[in-house]
Amino acid sequence: MAAMEIQYLHGVGPRRAALLRSELGVETVMDLLHTYPFRYIDRSGFQKISELRPDQTWIQIRAVVQSVKLLGKKGDTLEADPAKLRSVNRLSALVSDGTGTLEIVFFKGIKFMVTRLVAGREFVFFGKPTVFNGRINMVHPEVDDPDKTVSGTLTGVYPSTEKLKTGGITGKVMQRLVGSALEMVLPQLKETLPDYILKEKGLVPLSYALRQIHFPVDQSALSKATYRLKFEELFLLQLSLLKQKYIRSRSEYGIPMPKVGPAFNRCFEALPYELTGAQKRVIKEIREDLMSGRQMNRLLQGDVGSGKTMVAVLTALIAIGNDCQACVMAPTEVLARQHFINISKYLAPTGVQVALLTGSTGTAERRRIHSGLEDGSIGILIGTHALIEDTVVFRRLGLAVIDEQHRFGVDQRAKLWAKNGDGIPPHVLVMTATPIPRTLAMTLYGDLDISVIDEMPPGRKPIITRQFGENKRLALYKFMKDQIALGRQIFVVYPLIFESEKMDYQNLEMGYEDIVTNFPLPRYKVAIVHGQQTADEKNFNMGAFAGGRADILVSTTVIEVGVDVPNASVMVIESAERFGLSQLHQLRGRVGRGSEASYCILMKGQKISKESQKRLDLLCETENGFILAEEDMKMRGPGDLEGTQQSGLPITLNIASLSHDGALLSDARAYAAHILDLDPALSRIENIPLAEALRSDKYMTKDYSRIS
Ligand code: ADP
Ligand code: MG
């Protein structure tokens, strides 16, 4: 019954079925029952006409029809002659509840309304107040008989679209359809959660939850229904993720790495600074993974500049200490080269050989690298996608570090995975500077272990963030000149939301012209980098800036934001209102790496939405990436979060919200872990419903386990 196609539900038919499918994704009767109202209108009371205000979202009055007029296009009064109804423009009824009178207006359905709205009869009118000629009236309200009880006192409002409305599927029709669906499905509905879970977690049965989510008798019933459905959704999702993780941790062996080895110790002793508490904690977590005999799959999150590279280096050295090799994969050539330079410095005291392999590595060097990898003389290989090519063969790859993971495709990850001849996959450490809120990380990477570096190395100066309007441009240029006079370098970034958009390039080019005019040669040198340049052009310009030969780098966001230029102390972001919060934060993280005070200037346009203004204000208030990520998620919803779309793991939650139900998510996850502890295969008889639920497409299609 529940799986019955929606078309066959009473009142639907092929045309409405097509609409429900295309607009709401409803295929079956059960899908309809899982299309929940997104808010509820309290219809438990009536307002007095004398007390109506235009700012009320909904009003409900009980009133008697005083008089009805049919009006023509010019406002002329017409007779209620059925033959003349065609020329009628609107129906206007005056109704009264004893406290005042209110005009009710219909432009459509007049033929029916004129027979229903008979003077002297009483109705319940429900709708939105509108103001016309300075007076409140109601257009197209719902009209009900006073004795006809409204089902429940809270009326659900369903998601709707223009097409649904014009196709006749109004809110009222939705309610009717859901009503018949409930009648049909509830008698045979199978409970999806085992009894003991309902008891332990204090959840209401599914049948109750479904009825109350659509037609709540009161607020308390609605809360219970919502809680049950949210819990189930989050719980099953976590159960499926944790189950996969559990299966993998049992079935996939990892190379045991019991020692740290001499290279690690030498590097550690030569460190010019003390590791932060967070770095130490993360290294300890990684050590435990590596010693466990199981494959490590760990996501390392940390703000830009929090010291992830050091953690990666020490991890790689553990691999080397256990007679393995390591590779570090970066998303771009510039980043790979930068890693190579930094990591080579750290490795100097260890004697470990490190090589760089990118698309532009020459044939001779390539040959040298290939043989060095095969005979094991090269310990660490750093590179771009080039290092996953089939021709690259390691003697024994023990660890793959992936920087900024979201730019790597699933296929590429799989290739890396298969690099080891003996079939034992390398340990994987994914590093990201995109702070992902905890709740989202738990869901997106539910089967990965997560380490967080939540502490910055000491001595970092705060980045002074300010927002400027266009009227301050001259002051900005003056400030930039002062900074350049002090020997500093400056990033100027333009938004490039869609790479193909001409407009964006025009902005960039015009901005560049403007900068070049205001910062003329020979005194100032300006470099430009954007996505339409060849790799050589990009490298040349980036190199000029990184090497201190250019004072200003004008670029789009497609540039390698990860690039480290310690001498750059100013980040100017043009049209800052067009960037997302996380993106702004990432860009800002490009400065503040040296010992000098640094600045982030947000240039904003004149017409800027409240939301955008709030983003800019938040950015000025805090430098904590996790706080910003949480706020970003609250403002935009998790689906839009940067990095999540590319990760290829679209999570569509039906009722729970990652931004608002964090506590419930944690509880559901802990509970799922507890159940798997007791019954890892979910094979006990009482858990059969769970095993069945996990077999649904929703949980089967996503292969989270191979995220890296
Ligand atoms: P991330 O990769 O997380 O953006 P990096 O690893 O590039 O950060 O580190 C940023 C800077 O901080 C580097 O110059 C690095 O040498 C320095 N650094 C890292 N760890 C520490 C530490 N514990 N104390 C002081 N400086 C550190
Ligand atoms: Mg880094």
Side-chain angles (χ1 to χ4, degrees), residues 305 308-309 339 403-404 431 562 590 593:
K308 295 185 293 295
T309 312
H339 271 314
D403 195 7
E404 301 293 341
M431 303 198 292
R590 291 298 117 213
R593 320 207 106 202

Side-chain angles (χ1 to χ4, degrees), residues 232-493:
E232 174 170 355
E233 183 166 53
L234 295 170
F235 168 73
L236 288 177
L237 181 62
Q238 290 302 323
L239 193 68
S240 79
L241 291 168
L242 290 172
K243 189 155 178 279
Q244 288 177 44
K245 178 172 164 175
Y246 187 89
I247 290 169
R248 199 182 52 198
S249 70
R250 291 200 346 166
S251 64
E252 286 190 2
Y253 295 100
I255 304 164
M257 298 189 174
K259 300 176 280 190
V260 289
F264 178 100
N265 287 329
R266 258 179 256 137
C267 174
F268 194 81
E269 276 150 29
L271 275 183
Y273 44 71
E274 170 106 10
L275 293 181
T276 63
Q279 283 171 318
K280 283 184 194 159
R281 190 189 65 237
V282 169
I283 289 173
K284 200 164 154 254
E285 288 165 352
I286 290 172
R287 275 272 289 146
E288 277 163 20
D289 287 351
L290 297 181
M291 288 191 295
S292 71
R294 291 190 301 268
Q295 186 212 13
M296 172 173 79
N297 253 287
R298 192 168 278 281
L299 177 73
L300 175 57
Q301 284 193 45
D303 243 330
V304 171
S306 60
K308 295 185 293 295
T309 312
M310 196 61 239
V311 171
V313 168
L314 290 171
T315 308
L317 290 176
I318 295 176
I320 287 166
N322 289 275
D323 198 27
C324 288
Q325 292 159 297
C327 69
V328 178
M329 200 149 98
T332 67
E333 187 152 347
V334 176
L335 274 179
R337 181 159 297 133
Q338 188 177 305
H339 271 314
F340 177 70
I341 294 166
N342 287 338
I343 292 175
S344 300
K345 263 186 251 159
Y346 289 127
L347 291 181
T350 66
V352 171
Q353 254 203 65
V354 52
L356 174 69
L357 180 68
T358 70
S360 51
T361 304
T363 326
E365 172 69 359
R366 218 168 253 266
R367 215 173 289 134
R368 189 189 71 82
I369 290 174
H370 285 175
S371 70
L373 287 173
E374 278 176 62
D375 67 23
S377 57
I378 293 178
I380 300 179
L381 179 65
I382 295 168
T384 54
H385 302 72
L387 64 77
I388 55 171
E389 282 161 18
D390 295 333
T391 48
V392 180
V393 178
F394 290 82
R395 191 179 63 84
R396 194 170 189 224
L397 182 64
L399 169 77
V401 177
I402 302 176
D403 195 7
E404 301 293 341
Q405 102 292 344
H406 61 262
R407 300 200 212 170
F408 282 106
V410 175
D411 302 351
Q412 294 162 334
R413 291 179 194 138
K415 272 192 163 178
L416 186 60
W417 197 278
K419 275 271 167 239
N420 254 352
D422 58 7
I424 303 186
H427 296 290
V428 177
L429 182 68
V430 177
M431 303 198 292
T432 176
T434 309
I436 303 169
R438 206 180 125 70
T439 50
L440 186 62
M442 266 167 135
T443 307
L444 275 184
Y445 306 111
D447 72 326
L448 293 191
D449 294 299
I450 299 173
S451 291
V452 177
I453 306 190
D454 50 5
E455 183 186 347
M456 284 291 183
R460 248 175 131 254
K461 293 226 171 95
I463 302 167
I464 299 158
T465 306
R466 295 277 182 272
Q467 23 180 330
F468 281 6
E470 198 51 43
N471 57 347
K472 292 233 187 115
R473 185 163 293 278
L474 286 181
L476 170 71
Y477 286 168
K478 162 98 174 43
F479 170 73
M480 288 165 66
K481 283 178 183 164
D482 291 346
Q483 286 291 309
I484 294 171
L486 289 171
R488 310 283 132 71
Q489 290 169 280
I490 299 171
F491 288 103
V492 180
V493 175

Side-chain angles (χ1 to χ4, degrees), residues 211-223:
R211 179 178 291 286
Q212 296 302 323
I213 198 85
H214 291 290
F215 302 107
V217 291
D218 57 25
Q219 191 59 52
S220 138
L222 176 60
S223 305

Side-chain angles (χ1 to χ4, degrees), residues 525-630:
K525 292 181 192 68
V526 184
I528 179 167
V529 172
H530 58 74
Q532 294 193 337
Q533 290 171 332
T534 64
D536 279 349
E537 284 173 310
K538 273 192 234 175
N539 283 333
F540 178 82
N541 282 288
M542 273 309 305
F545 189 69
R549 296 184 295 282
D551 307 293
I552 300 176
L553 179 70
V554 176
S555 72
T556 60
T557 40
V558 295
I559 60 147
E560 355 301 353
V561 286
V563 71
D564 204 358
V565 184
N567 191 46
S569 63
V570 183
M571 168 63 68
V572 179
I573 305 177
E574 294 285 349
S575 306
E577 71 274 11
R578 294 183 57 194
F579 290 91
L581 198 49
S582 299
Q583 218 179 357
L584 288 169
H585 174 66
Q586 289 276 308
L587 288 170
R588 175 170 62 179
R590 291 298 117 213
V591 295
R593 320 207 106 202
S595 51
E596 308 302 331
S598 49
Y599 305 87
C600 176
I601 311 292
L602 308 168
M603 294 300 287
K604 57 182 178 186
Q606 272 172 344
K607 277 184 253 148
I608 148 167
S609 71
K610 255 196 193 154
E611 281 248 317
S612 308
Q613 186 56 55
K614 196 171 164 212
R615 280 204 298 273
L616 303 187
D617 291 345
L618 269 169
L619 203 74
C620 293
E621 273 162 35
T622 182
E623 262 193 73
N624 183 319
F626 285 92
I627 294 179
L628 290 171
E630 291 283 353

